[in-house]
Amino acid sequence: IQSWGLADSFAYHGEVDRAQKIRFLSDLHVFSVPTTYAEPKGLSILESLANGTPVVQPRHGTFPEMLEKTGGGLLVEPHSSEALAKGIAWLLRDEKIRLKLGQIGKKSVHTYVSDDATATAALAIYSQYADVTV
């Protein structure tokens, strides 16, 4: 950051607790973690969506499946800073779409990825292979 002359544009605030993370993610207009590798998890994307903040992500790794399931953001060509910038700029300019994607993403994450939904899905899978009833 210093070698690029950006030291005045960056502030490290240290680790945040859960409440600080929720506040931070809720205050954003758009969230993006443009990985150069095929990210297998994308937890930060789910956290952003859970707080109503839409995402712009490269079309690789877990992101296509995640955004297909949640509807909370845009996919762009991987390894393209231009495509990423266009996606982010589009959402920043179009408040209506940005808010709609944020609302859809939040509802989807709370519906499909909540603790209860995940536990129910896991139980259904386990029940297929064992005599399990609750």
Side-chain angles (χ1 to χ4, degrees):
I1 290 174
Q2 284 183 330
S3 67
W4 290 350
L6 298 172
D8 292 338
S9 301
F10 177 80
Y12 178 69
H13 297 283
E15 293 184 32
V16 295
D17 63 23
R18 184 174 188 272
Q20 291 169 319
K21 183 188 290 189
I22 289 170
R23 190 174 328 109
F24 171 74
L25 291 171
S26 297
D27 287 345
L28 297 176
H29 292 295
V30 178
F31 184 80
S32 183
V33 180
T35 62
T36 57
Y37 56 91
E39 169 66 50
K41 297 176 186 162
L43 181 59
S44 62
I45 302 308
L46 291 176
E47 290 175 330
S48 177
L49 294 173
N51 287 285
T53 302
V55 300
V56 177
Q57 287 302 116
R59 188 179 292 109
H60 63 188
T62 192
F63 304 133
E65 179 182 359
M66 193 176 283
L67 290 181
E68 179 182 323
K69 182 77 170 177
T70 65
L74 303 176
L75 292 170
V76 298
E77 287 304 311
H79 311 291
S80 171
S81 55
E82 183 179 330
L84 182 68
K86 283 182 180 180
I88 291 171
W90 183 59
L91 286 185
L92 289 175
R93 281 192 305 268
D94 195 328
E95 182 180 20
K96 185 177 179 180
I97 295 292
R98 185 177 71 243
L99 294 175
K100 182 177 180 180
L101 290 175
Q103 291 168 353
I104 290 169
K106 182 174 185 173
K107 182 178 180 183
S108 295
V109 167
H110 286 273
T111 300
Y112 301 116
V113 194
S114 69
D115 293 343
D116 288 340
T118 302
T120 299
L123 181 60
I125 292 169
Y126 295 148
S127 296
Q128 293 177 15
Y129 300 102
D131 186 21
V132 177
T133 55
V134 176

